[in-house]
Amino acid sequence: MFSPKIPPPDTAPTPGTSLVPPLTGLVHPPACTCHHTPTAPAPVPATPPARPAVQFTPGSLIVAAAGGTAMVLVVGTVLVSMLLATAITAASIALCAVVLRSLLNRPNNR
């Protein structure tokens, strides 16, 4: 069912041929009728000078380190709170399951 369906060798196209015939004999009209002579291509603009390498000052390094630390603390707080919410939900569902099981197993002891 999942195996590829390969056509028999007599109907399969050979690697050198194409299933689409080539388009020959098509003539397109010119885009404009002004009969001007083509101009030389526009010169390629010179490449802009290379930018200097980024240089960090001591102040920018401190700001980058403080920003990275703040980002790690925020992401860690969010992940820990999500884990805590999942653990609390799982514990409450387990407690509800135990209570329901005890109620359904002993209907005469109420």
Side-chain angles (χ1 to χ4, degrees):
M1 180 170 129
F2 293 108
S3 62
K5 305 289 189 271
I6 300 174
D10 58 340
T11 60
T14 60
T17 61
S18 173
L19 296 176
V20 179
L23 299 174
T24 57
L26 293 178
V27 178
H28 295 285
C32 66
T33 58
C34 58
H35 302 293
H36 60 82
T37 59
T39 60
V44 178
T47 58
R51 291 187 279 175
V54 177
Q55 296 179 354
F56 289 108
T57 62
S60 64
L61 285 176
I62 292 172
V63 169
T69 304
M71 185 71 126
V72 167
L73 290 176
V74 168
V75 169
T77 303
V78 169
L79 291 177
V80 167
S81 65
M82 289 172 60
L83 181 64
L84 184 61
T86 304
I88 291 172
T89 303
S92 65
I93 289 174
L95 184 63
C96 290
V98 168
V99 169
L100 283 174
R101 182 177 164 196
S102 66
L103 288 175
L104 292 174
N105 282 342
R106 291 182 273 148
N108 296 333
N109 294 340
R110 284 190 234 163

